[in-house]
Coordinates of all heavy atoms in Angstrom, one line a residue:
M21 N 0.8 -1.2 0.0 CA 0.0 0.0 0.0 C 0.9 1.2 0.0 O 1.9 1.3 0.6 CB -0.9 0.0 1.2 CG -2.1 -0.8 1.1 SD -3.2 -0.7 2.5 CE -4.1 0.7 2.1
S22 N 0.4 2.3 -0.6 CA 1.1 3.6 -0.7 C 0.7 4.5 0.5 O -0.4 4.5 0.9 CB 0.8 4.2 -2.0 OG 1.3 5.5 -2.0
D23 N 1.7 5.3 1.0 CA 1.4 6.3 2.0 C 1.0 7.6 1.4 O 0.7 8.6 2.1 CB 2.6 6.6 2.9 CG 2.8 5.4 3.9 OD1 1.8 4.7 4.1 OD2 3.9 5.3 4.3
K24 N 1.0 7.7 0.1 CA 0.7 9.0 -0.7 C -0.6 9.6 -0.3 O -0.7 10.8 0.0 CB 0.9 8.7 -2.2 CG 0.8 10.0 -3.0 CD 2.1 10.6 -3.1 CE 2.1 11.7 -4.1 NZ 3.2 12.6 -4.1
P25 N -1.7 8.8 -0.3 CA -3.0 9.5 0.0 C -3.0 10.0 1.4 O -3.6 11.1 1.7 CB -4.0 8.3 -0.1 CG -3.4 7.4 -1.1 CD -1.9 7.5 -0.8
N26 N -2.4 9.3 2.4 CA -2.4 9.8 3.8 C -1.5 11.1 3.9 O -1.9 12.0 4.6 CB -1.8 8.8 4.7 CG -2.9 7.7 5.1 OD1 -4.1 8.0 4.9 ND2 -2.4 6.6 5.5
A27 N -0.4 11.2 3.2 CA 0.4 12.3 3.2 C -0.3 13.5 2.6 O -0.2 14.7 3.2 CB 1.7 12.1 2.4
N28 N -1.0 13.3 1.5 CA -1.8 14.4 0.9 C -2.9 14.9 1.8 O -3.1 16.1 1.9 CB -2.4 13.9 -0.4 CG -1.3 13.8 -1.5 OD1 -0.2 14.4 -1.4 ND2 -1.6 13.1 -2.6
R29 N -3.5 13.9 2.5 CA -4.6 14.3 3.4 C -4.1 15.1 4.6 O -4.7 16.1 5.0 CB -5.3 13.0 3.9 CG -6.6 13.4 4.6 CD -7.6 12.3 4.7 NE -7.2 11.4 5.8 CZ -7.6 10.2 6.0 NH1 -8.4 9.6 5.1 NH2 -7.3 9.5 7.0
R30 N -2.9 14.7 5.1 CA -2.3 15.4 6.3 C -2.0 16.8 5.8 O -2.2 17.8 6.6 CB -1.1 14.7 6.8 CG -1.4 13.5 7.7 CD -0.2 13.1 8.5 NE 0.8 12.6 7.6 CZ 0.9 11.3 7.2 NH1 0.1 10.4 7.7 NH2 1.9 10.9 6.4
K31 N -1.4 17.0 4.6 CA -1.0 18.3 4.1 C -2.2 19.2 4.0 O -2.2 20.3 4.4 CB -0.3 18.1 2.8 CG 0.2 19.5 2.2 CD 1.0 19.3 0.9 CE 1.4 20.6 0.3 NZ 2.0 20.4 -1.0
F32 N -3.3 18.6 3.4 CA -4.5 19.4 3.2 C -5.1 19.8 4.6 O -5.5 21.0 4.7 CB -5.6 18.5 2.5 CG -6.9 19.1 2.5 CD1 -7.2 20.2 1.6 CD2 -7.9 18.7 3.3 CE1 -8.5 20.8 1.6 CE2 -9.2 19.3 3.3 CZ -9.5 20.3 2.5
L33 N -5.1 18.9 5.5 CA -5.7 19.2 6.9 C -4.9 20.3 7.5 O -5.4 21.2 8.2 CB -5.8 18.0 7.7 CG -6.8 17.0 7.3 CD1 -6.7 15.7 8.1 CD2 -8.2 17.6 7.4
R34 N -3.5 20.3 7.4 CA -2.7 21.4 8.0 C -3.0 22.7 7.4 O -3.2 23.7 8.1 CB -1.2 21.0 7.8 CG -0.6 20.2 8.9 CD 0.9 20.2 8.8 NE 1.5 20.0 7.5 CZ 1.8 18.8 7.1 NH1 1.7 17.7 7.9 NH2 2.3 18.6 5.9
Q35 N -3.1 22.7 6.0 CA -3.4 24.0 5.3 C -4.8 24.5 5.7 O -5.0 25.7 5.9 CB -3.2 23.8 3.8 CG -1.8 23.6 3.4 CD -1.7 23.3 1.9 OE1 -2.6 22.8 1.3 NE2 -0.5 23.5 1.4
A36 N -5.8 23.6 5.7 CA -7.1 24.0 6.1 C -7.2 24.6 7.5 O -7.9 25.6 7.7 CB -8.1 22.9 5.9
S37 N -6.5 24.0 8.4 CA -6.5 24.4 9.8 C -5.9 25.8 9.9 O -6.5 26.7 10.6 CB -5.7 23.5 10.7 OG -6.3 22.2 10.7
A38 N -4.8 26.0 9.2 CA -4.2 27.4 9.3 C -5.1 28.4 8.7 O -5.2 29.5 9.2 CB -2.9 27.3 8.5
A39 N -5.8 28.1 7.6 CA -6.7 29.1 7.0 C -7.9 29.4 7.9 O -8.2 30.6 8.0 CB -7.2 28.5 5.6
V40 N -8.5 28.4 8.5 CA -9.6 28.6 9.3 C -9.2 29.4 10.6 O -9.9 30.3 11.0 CB -10.2 27.2 9.7 CG1 -11.3 27.4 10.9 CG2 -10.9 26.6 8.5
A41 N -8.0 29.1 11.1 CA -7.6 29.8 12.3 C -7.3 31.3 12.1 O -7.5 32.1 12.9 CB -6.3 29.2 12.8
A42 N -6.9 31.7 10.9 CA -6.6 33.1 10.5 C -7.9 33.9 10.4 O -7.9 35.1 10.7 CB -5.8 33.1 9.3
I43 N -9.0 33.3 9.9 CA -10.2 34.1 9.6 C -10.8 34.8 10.8 O -11.1 36.0 10.8 CB -11.3 33.2 9.0 CG1 -10.8 32.8 7.6 CG2 -12.6 33.9 8.9 CD1 -11.6 31.7 6.9
P44 N -11.0 34.1 12.0 CA -11.7 34.8 13.1 C -10.8 36.0 13.6 O -11.4 37.0 14.1 CB -11.8 33.7 14.2 CG -11.7 32.4 13.4 CD -10.9 32.7 12.2
V45 N -9.5 35.9 13.6 CA -8.7 37.0 14.1 C -8.9 38.2 13.3 O -9.2 39.3 13.8 CB -7.2 36.6 14.1 CG1 -6.3 37.8 14.4 CG2 -6.9 35.4 15.0
V46 N -8.9 38.1 12.0 CA -9.2 39.2 11.1 C -10.6 39.8 11.3 O -10.8 41.0 11.4 CB -9.0 38.8 9.6 CG1 -9.4 39.9 8.7 CG2 -7.5 38.4 9.4
S47 N -11.5 38.9 11.4 CA -12.9 39.4 11.6 C -13.1 40.1 12.9 O -13.8 41.1 13.0 CB -13.9 38.1 11.6 OG -13.8 37.5 10.3
L48 N -12.6 39.6 14.0 CA -12.7 40.2 15.3 C -12.1 41.6 15.4 O -12.7 42.5 15.9 CB -12.1 39.3 16.4 CG -12.9 38.1 16.7 CD1 -12.1 37.2 17.7 CD2 -14.3 38.4 17.3
V49 N -10.9 41.8 14.7 CA -10.3 43.1 14.7 C -11.2 44.1 14.0 O -11.4 45.2 14.5 CB -8.9 43.0 14.0 CG1 -8.4 44.4 13.8 CG2 -7.9 42.2 14.9
G50 N -11.7 43.7 12.9 CA -12.6 44.6 12.1 C -13.9 44.9 12.9 O -14.3 46.1 12.9
M51 N -14.5 43.9 13.6 CA -15.7 44.2 14.3 C -15.5 45.1 15.5 O -16.3 46.0 15.8 CB -16.3 42.8 14.9 CG -16.9 42.0 13.8 SD -17.3 40.3 14.4 CE -18.4 40.7 15.7
S52 N -14.4 44.9 16.2 CA -14.2 45.8 17.4 C -14.0 47.2 17.0 O -14.5 48.1 17.7 CB -13.0 45.3 18.2 OG -11.8 45.4 17.5
N53 N -13.4 47.5 15.9 CA -13.2 48.9 15.4 C -14.6 49.5 15.0 O -14.8 50.6 15.3 CB -12.2 48.9 14.2 CG -10.8 48.8 14.7 OD1 -10.5 48.9 15.9 ND2 -9.9 48.4 13.8
A54 N -15.4 48.7 14.4 CA -16.7 49.2 13.9 C -17.6 49.5 15.1 O -18.2 50.6 15.2 CB -17.4 48.2 13.1
K55 N -17.6 48.7 16.2 CA -18.4 48.9 17.3 C -18.0 50.2 18.1 O -18.8 50.9 18.6 CB -18.4 47.7 18.3 CG -19.2 46.6 17.8 CD -19.2 45.4 18.8 CE -20.1 44.3 18.4 NZ -20.2 43.3 19.3
A56 N -16.7 50.4 18.1 CA -16.1 51.5 18.9 C -16.6 52.8 18.4 O -16.6 53.8 19.2 CB -14.6 51.4 19.0
E57 N -17.0 52.9 17.2 CA -17.4 54.2 16.6 C -18.8 54.6 16.8 O -19.2 55.8 16.7 CB -17.1 54.2 15.1 CG -15.6 54.1 14.8 CD -15.3 53.9 13.4 OE1 -16.2 53.9 12.5 OE2 -14.1 53.6 13.1
E58 N -19.7 53.7 17.2 CA -21.1 54.0 17.4 C -21.3 54.6 18.8 O -20.9 54.1 19.8 CB -21.9 52.7 17.3 CG -23.4 52.9 17.2 CD -24.1 51.6 16.9 OE1 -23.5 50.7 16.4 OE2 -25.3 51.6 17.2
Q59 N -22.0 55.7 18.8 CA -22.3 56.4 20.1 C -23.8 56.4 20.4 O -24.6 56.5 19.6 CB -21.8 57.9 19.9 CG -20.4 58.0 19.7 CD -19.9 59.5 19.4 OE1 -20.7 60.3 19.0 NE2 -18.6 59.7 19.5
A60 N -24.0 56.2 21.7 CA -25.4 56.1 22.2 C -26.1 57.4 22.0 O -25.5 58.5 22.1 CB -25.4 55.6 23.6
E61 N -27.4 57.3 21.7 CA -28.3 58.5 21.6 C -29.2 58.6 22.8 O -29.4 57.5 23.5 CB -29.1 58.4 20.3 CG -28.3 58.5 19.0 CD -29.1 58.4 17.8 OE1 -30.4 58.3 17.9 OE2 -28.5 58.4 16.7
D62 N -29.7 59.7 23.1 CA -30.6 59.9 24.2 C -31.7 58.9 24.1 O -32.2 58.7 23.0 CB -31.2 61.3 24.2 CG -30.2 62.3 24.7 OD1 -29.1 62.0 25.0 OD2 -30.6 63.5 24.8
G63 N -32.1 58.2 25.2 CA -33.2 57.2 25.1 C -32.7 55.8 24.7 O -33.5 54.9 24.5
H64 N -31.4 55.6 24.5 CA -30.9 54.3 24.1 C -31.5 53.2 25.0 O -32.0 52.2 24.4 CB -29.4 54.3 24.2 CG -28.8 53.0 23.8 ND1 -28.6 52.5 22.6 CD2 -28.3 52.0 24.7 CE1 -28.1 51.3 22.6 NE2 -27.9 50.9 23.9
A65 N -31.4 53.3 26.3 CA -31.9 52.3 27.2 C -31.9 53.0 28.6 O -31.1 53.8 28.9 CB -31.1 51.0 27.2
H66 N -32.8 52.5 29.5 CA -32.8 53.0 30.9 C -32.8 54.5 31.0 O -32.1 55.1 31.8 CB -31.6 52.4 31.6 CG -31.7 50.9 31.6 ND1 -32.6 50.1 32.4 CD2 -30.9 50.0 30.9 CE1 -32.4 48.8 32.1 NE2 -31.4 48.7 31.3
S67 N -33.6 55.2 30.2 CA -33.7 56.7 30.2 C -32.3 57.4 30.1 O -32.1 58.4 30.6 CB -34.3 57.1 31.6 OG -35.6 56.5 31.8
Y68 N -31.4 56.7 29.3 CA -30.1 57.3 29.1 C -30.2 58.7 28.4 O -31.0 58.9 27.5 CB -29.3 56.4 28.2 CG -28.0 57.0 27.7 CD1 -26.9 56.9 28.6 CD2 -27.8 57.6 26.5 CE1 -25.7 57.5 28.2 CE2 -26.6 58.2 26.1 CZ -25.5 58.1 27.0 OH -24.3 58.7 26.6
V69 N -29.3 59.6 28.9 CA -29.1 60.9 28.2 C -27.6 61.1 28.1 O -26.8 60.7 29.0 CB -29.8 62.0 29.0 CG1 -31.3 62.0 28.8 CG2 -29.4 62.0 30.5
N70 N -27.2 61.8 27.1 CA -25.8 62.1 26.9 C -25.2 63.2 27.8 O -24.0 63.3 28.0 CB -25.5 62.5 25.4 CG -25.4 61.3 24.5 OD1 -24.8 60.3 24.8 ND2 -26.0 61.4 23.3
N71 N -26.1 63.9 28.4 CA -25.8 65.0 29.3 C -26.6 64.8 30.6 O -27.8 64.9 30.5 CB -26.0 66.4 28.7 CG -25.5 67.5 29.6 OD1 -25.2 67.3 30.8 ND2 -25.4 68.7 29.0
A72 N -26.0 64.4 31.7 CA -26.7 64.1 32.9 C -27.6 65.3 33.3 O -28.6 65.1 34.0 CB -25.7 63.8 34.0
A73 N -27.2 66.5 33.0 CA -28.0 67.7 33.3 C -29.4 67.6 32.7 O -30.4 68.2 33.2 CB -27.3 69.0 32.9
D74 N -29.6 66.8 31.6 CA -30.9 66.6 31.0 C -31.7 65.5 31.6 O -32.8 65.2 31.1 CB -30.7 66.3 29.5 CG -30.0 67.5 28.7 OD1 -30.2 68.6 29.2 OD2 -29.4 67.2 27.7
A75 N -31.1 64.8 32.6 CA -31.8 63.7 33.2 C -33.1 64.2 33.9 O -33.1 65.1 34.7 CB -30.9 63.0 34.2
D76 N -34.2 63.6 33.5 CA -35.5 63.9 34.1 C -36.1 62.6 34.7 O -37.0 62.0 34.2 CB -36.4 64.5 33.0 CG -37.8 65.0 33.6 OD1 -37.9 65.2 34.8 OD2 -38.8 65.0 32.8
H77 N -35.5 62.2 35.8 CA -35.8 60.9 36.4 C -35.7 61.0 37.9 O -34.8 61.7 38.4 CB -34.8 59.9 35.8 CG -35.2 58.5 36.0 ND1 -35.2 57.8 37.2 CD2 -35.7 57.6 35.1 CE1 -35.6 56.6 37.1 NE2 -36.0 56.4 35.8
A78 N -36.6 60.4 38.6 CA -36.7 60.4 40.0 C -35.4 59.8 40.7 O -35.1 60.2 41.8 CB -37.9 59.7 40.5
D79 N -34.8 58.9 40.0 CA -33.6 58.3 40.6 C -32.3 59.1 40.5 O -31.3 58.8 41.0 CB -33.3 56.9 40.0 CG -34.4 55.9 40.3 OD1 -35.2 56.2 41.3 OD2 -34.5 54.9 39.7
Y80 N -32.4 60.2 39.6 CA -31.1 61.0 39.4 C -30.8 61.8 40.6 O -31.7 62.5 41.2 CB -31.3 61.8 38.1 CG -30.2 62.8 37.9 CD1 -28.9 62.3 37.5 CD2 -30.3 64.1 38.2 CE1 -27.9 63.1 37.3 CE2 -29.2 65.0 38.0 CZ -28.0 64.5 37.5 OH -26.9 65.3 37.4
S81 N -29.5 61.9 40.9 CA -29.0 62.8 41.9 C -27.9 63.6 41.3 O -27.1 63.1 40.5 CB -28.5 62.1 43.1 OG -29.5 61.3 43.8
D82 N -27.8 64.9 41.7 CA -26.7 65.8 41.2 C -25.3 65.1 41.4 O -25.0 64.4 42.4 CB -26.7 67.1 42.0 CG -27.7 68.0 41.5 OD1 -28.3 67.8 40.5 OD2 -27.9 69.1 42.2
G83 N -24.5 65.2 40.4 CA -23.1 64.7 40.4 C -23.0 63.3 39.8 O -21.9 62.9 39.5
E84 N -24.1 62.6 39.6 CA -24.0 61.3 39.0 C -23.8 61.4 37.5 O -24.5 62.1 36.8 CB -25.3 60.5 39.2 CG -25.6 60.2 40.7 CD -26.9 59.4 40.9 OE1 -27.7 59.3 40.0 OE2 -27.1 59.0 42.0
K85 N -22.8 60.8 37.0 CA -22.4 60.8 35.6 C -21.8 59.4 35.2 O -21.3 58.7 36.1 CB -21.3 61.8 35.3 CG -21.7 63.2 35.6 CD -20.6 64.2 35.4 CE -21.1 65.6 35.7 NZ -20.1 66.6 35.4
C86 N -21.8 59.1 33.9 CA -21.2 57.9 33.5 C -19.8 57.7 34.0 O -19.4 56.6 34.4 CB -21.3 57.8 32.0 SG -22.9 57.5 31.3
K87 N -19.0 58.8 33.9 CA -17.6 58.7 34.3 C -17.4 58.4 35.7 O -16.2 58.0 36.1 CB -16.8 59.9 33.8 CG -17.1 61.2 34.6 CD -16.3 62.3 34.0 CE -16.6 63.6 34.7 NZ -15.9 64.8 34.0
N88 N -18.4 58.5 36.6 CA -18.2 58.0 38.0 C -19.1 56.9 38.4 O -19.4 56.6 39.5 CB -18.2 59.2 39.0 CG -19.6 60.0 38.9 OD1 -20.6 59.4 38.6 ND2 -19.5 61.3 39.2
C89 N -19.6 56.2 37.3 CA -20.4 55.0 37.5 C -19.6 53.7 37.5 O -18.6 53.7 36.8 CB -21.5 55.0 36.4 SG -22.5 53.5 36.3
A90 N -20.0 52.7 38.3 CA -19.2 51.5 38.3 C -19.2 50.8 37.0 O -18.3 49.9 36.8 CB -19.9 50.6 39.4
F91 N -20.1 51.0 36.1 CA -20.1 50.4 34.8 C -19.2 51.1 33.8 O -19.0 50.6 32.7 CB -21.6 50.3 34.2 CG -22.5 49.4 34.9 CD1 -23.5 49.8 35.7 CD2 -22.4 48.0 34.7 CE1 -24.3 48.9 36.4 CE2 -23.2 47.1 35.3 CZ -24.2 47.6 36.2
W92 N -18.7 52.2 34.1 CA -17.9 53.0 33.1 C -16.6 52.3 32.9 O -15.9 51.9 33.8 CB -17.7 54.4 33.7 CG -16.8 55.3 32.9 CD1 -15.5 55.7 33.3 CD2 -17.0 55.9 31.6 NE1 -15.0 56.6 32.4 CE2 -15.9 56.7 31.3 CE3 -18.1 55.8 30.7 CZ2 -15.7 57.4 30.1 CZ3 -17.9 56.6 29.5 CH2 -16.8 57.3 29.3
G93 N -16.2 52.3 31.6 CA -14.9 51.7 31.2 C -14.1 52.6 30.3 O -13.2 52.1 29.6
G94 N -14.5 53.9 30.3 CA -13.8 54.8 29.3 C -12.7 55.6 29.8 O -12.1 56.4 29.0
G95 N -12.3 55.4 31.0 CA -11.1 56.2 31.6 C -11.4 57.7 31.5 O -12.4 58.1 31.9
D96 N -10.4 58.4 30.9 CA -10.5 59.9 30.8 C -11.1 60.3 29.5 O -11.2 61.5 29.2 CB -9.2 60.5 31.0 CG -8.6 60.3 32.4 OD1 -9.4 60.2 33.3 OD2 -7.4 60.2 32.6
S97 N -11.6 59.4 28.7 CA -12.1 59.7 27.3 C -13.5 60.4 27.4 O -14.3 60.2 28.4 CB -12.3 58.5 26.5 OG -11.0 57.8 26.3
E98 N -13.9 61.2 26.4 CA -15.2 61.8 26.3 C -16.3 60.7 26.1 O -17.4 60.8 26.7 CB -15.2 62.8 25.2 CG -16.6 63.5 25.1 CD -16.6 64.6 24.0 OE1 -15.6 64.7 23.2 OE2 -17.7 65.2 23.8
W99 N -16.0 59.8 25.3 CA -16.9 58.7 25.0 C -16.2 57.4 25.4 O -15.0 57.2 25.1 CB -17.2 58.6 23.5 CG -18.1 59.8 23.0 CD1 -17.6 61.0 22.6 CD2 -19.5 59.8 23.0 NE1 -18.7 61.8 22.3 CE2 -19.9 61.1 22.5 CE3 -20.5 58.9 23.3 CZ2 -21.2 61.5 22.4 CZ3 -21.8 59.3 23.2 CH2 -22.2 60.6 22.7
G100 N -16.9 56.4 25.9 CA -16.3 55.2 26.4 C -17.3 54.1 26.5 O -18.5 54.2 26.4
Q101 N -16.7 52.9 26.8 CA -17.5 51.7 27.0 C -18.3 51.7 28.3 O -17.8 52.1 29.3 CB -16.6 50.5 26.9 CG -17.4 49.2 27.0 CD -16.4 48.0 26.9 OE1 -15.2 48.1 26.9 NE2 -17.0 46.8 26.8
C102 N -19.5 51.2 28.3 CA -20.3 51.0 29.5 C -20.4 49.4 29.5 O -20.8 48.8 28.6 CB -21.7 51.6 29.4 SG -22.8 51.0 30.6
F103 N -20.1 48.9 30.7 CA -20.1 47.4 30.8 C -21.5 46.8 31.1 O -21.7 45.6 31.2 CB -19.1 46.9 31.9 CG -17.7 47.2 31.4 CD1 -16.9 48.1 32.0 CD2 -17.1 46.5 30.4 CE1 -15.6 48.4 31.6 CE2 -15.8 46.7 30.0 CZ -15.1 47.6 30.6
H104 N -22.5 47.7 31.2 CA -23.9 47.2 31.4 C -24.3 46.5 30.1 O -24.1 46.9 29.0 CB -24.8 48.4 31.7 CG -26.2 47.9 32.2 ND1 -27.1 47.4 31.3 CD2 -26.7 47.9 33.4 CE1 -28.2 47.1 32.0 NE2 -28.0 47.4 33.2
A105 N -25.0 45.3 30.3 CA -25.4 44.5 29.2 C -26.2 45.2 28.1 O -26.2 44.9 26.9 CB -26.2 43.3 29.7
D106 N -27.0 46.2 28.6 CA -27.9 46.9 27.6 C -27.2 48.0 26.9 O -27.8 48.7 26.1 CB -29.1 47.5 28.4 CG -30.0 46.4 28.9 OD1 -30.0 45.3 28.3 OD2 -30.7 46.6 29.9
F107 N -25.9 48.2 27.1 CA -25.1 49.2 26.3 C -24.0 48.6 25.5 O -23.1 49.2 25.1 CB -24.6 50.3 27.3 CG -25.7 51.1 27.8 CD1 -26.4 50.8 29.0 CD2 -26.0 52.3 27.2 CE1 -27.4 51.6 29.5 CE2 -27.0 53.1 27.7 CZ -27.8 52.8 28.8
Q108 N -24.1 47.3 25.2 CA -23.1 46.6 24.4 C -23.2 47.1 23.0 O -24.3 47.3 22.5 CB -23.3 45.1 24.4 CG -22.9 44.5 25.8 CD -23.0 43.0 25.8 OE1 -23.2 42.4 24.8 NE2 -22.7 42.4 26.9
G109 N -22.1 47.4 22.4 CA -22.0 47.8 21.0 C -22.2 49.3 20.8 O -22.2 49.8 19.6
V110 N -22.3 50.1 21.8 CA -22.3 51.5 21.7 C -21.4 52.1 22.8 O -21.1 51.5 23.8 CB -23.7 52.1 22.0 CG1 -24.7 51.7 20.9 CG2 -24.2 51.8 23.3
Q111 N -20.9 53.3 22.5 CA -20.2 54.1 23.5 C -21.1 55.1 24.2 O -22.0 55.6 23.5 CB -19.0 54.8 22.9 CG -17.9 53.8 22.4 CD -16.6 54.6 22.1 OE1 -16.7 55.7 21.6 NE2 -15.5 53.9 22.2
V112 N -20.9 55.3 25.4 CA -21.7 56.3 26.1 C -20.8 57.5 26.5 O -19.6 57.4 26.5 CB -22.3 55.8 27.4 CG1 -23.3 54.6 27.1 CG2 -21.3 55.3 28.4
N113 N -21.5 58.7 26.7 CA -20.7 59.9 27.0 C -20.3 59.9 28.5 O -21.1 59.6 29.4 CB -21.6 61.1 26.7 CG -20.8 62.4 26.6 OD1 -20.3 62.9 27.6 ND2 -20.6 62.9 25.4
A114 N -19.1 60.4 28.7 CA -18.6 60.5 30.1 C -19.6 61.4 31.0 O -19.7 61.1 32.2 CB -17.2 61.1 30.1
E115 N -20.2 62.3 30.3 CA -21.1 63.2 31.1 C -22.6 62.7 31.1 O -23.5 63.4 31.5 CB -21.1 64.6 30.4 CG -19.7 65.3 30.4 CD -19.3 65.6 31.9 OE1 -20.1 66.1 32.7 OE2 -18.1 65.4 32.2
G116 N -22.8 61.5 30.5 CA -24.1 61.0 30.4 C -24.6 60.3 31.7 O -23.9 60.3 32.7
W117 N -25.8 59.8 31.6 CA -26.4 59.1 32.8 C -27.6 58.2 32.4 O -28.2 58.5 31.3 CB -27.0 60.2 33.8 CG -27.6 59.7 35.0 CD1 -27.0 59.4 36.2 CD2 -29.0 59.3 35.3 NE1 -27.8 58.9 37.1 CE2 -29.1 58.8 36.6 CE3 -30.1 59.3 34.5 CZ2 -30.3 58.3 37.1 CZ3 -31.3 58.8 35.0 CH2 -31.4 58.4 36.3
C118 N -27.8 57.2 33.1 CA -29.0 56.3 32.9 C -29.5 55.8 34.3 O -28.7 55.9 35.3 CB -28.8 55.2 32.0 SG -28.1 53.7 32.7
D119 N -30.7 55.2 34.3 CA -31.2 54.8 35.6 C -30.6 53.5 36.2 O -31.1 53.0 37.2 CB -32.8 54.8 35.6 CG -33.3 53.7 34.6 OD1 -32.5 52.9 34.2 OD2 -34.5 53.7 34.3
E120 N -29.6 53.0 35.5 CA -28.9 51.9 36.1 C -27.6 52.3 36.7 O -26.7 51.5 37.1 CB -28.5 50.9 34.9 CG -29.7 50.2 34.4 CD -30.3 49.2 35.3 OE1 -29.6 48.2 35.7 OE2 -31.5 49.4 35.7
Y121 N -27.4 53.6 36.9 CA -26.2 54.2 37.5 C -25.9 53.5 38.9 O -26.8 53.4 39.7 CB -26.4 55.7 37.7 CG -25.3 56.4 38.5 CD1 -24.1 56.8 37.8 CD2 -25.3 56.5 39.9 CE1 -23.1 57.4 38.5 CE2 -24.2 57.0 40.6 CZ -23.1 57.5 39.9 OH -22.1 58.1 40.6
V122 N -24.6 53.2 39.1 CA -24.1 52.7 40.3 C -22.9 53.4 40.7 O -21.9 53.5 39.9 CB -23.8 51.2 40.2 CG1 -23.2 50.6 41.5 CG2 -25.0 50.3 39.8
S123 N -22.9 54.0 41.9 CA -21.8 54.8 42.3 C -20.5 53.9 42.4 O -20.6 52.8 42.9 CB -22.1 55.4 43.7 OG -21.0 56.1 44.2
S124 N -19.4 54.5 41.9 CA -18.2 53.7 41.9 C -17.3 54.0 43.1 O -17.5 55.0 43.8 CB -17.4 53.9 40.6 OG -17.0 55.2 40.5
Ligands
LIG10 S1 -24.8 52.1 33.6 FE1 -23.5 53.8 34.3 S2 -21.9 54.1 32.7 FE2 -23.6 52.9 31.8 S3 -25.0 54.3 30.8 FE3 -25.8 54.0 32.8 S4 -24.8 55.7 34.1 FE4 -23.6 55.5 32.2

């Protein structure tokens, strides 16, 4: 019997594995950049507003802003990530607010 078919199959499987492994990395890099550019609009969820001064909600207290909320992940940026599940895929404003605010 010849080993040729097995060698060809091993070579094919190695090449296919390398190709499949490369695709998700490229896709994820592209997706993360696209998501980072989308900014939340007023009313996105939980009575969100881009400027806390516009909050018209019984739970709002002076001084509460996204940038001092426990869900804030934007550091010193004007727009940043909110780790609350209802704000995935958008950035919120550091000066914004929503009724899920948690003091950090
Ligand atoms: S959970 Fe916090 S950081 Fe996220 S939108 Fe509401 S107030 Fe802003």
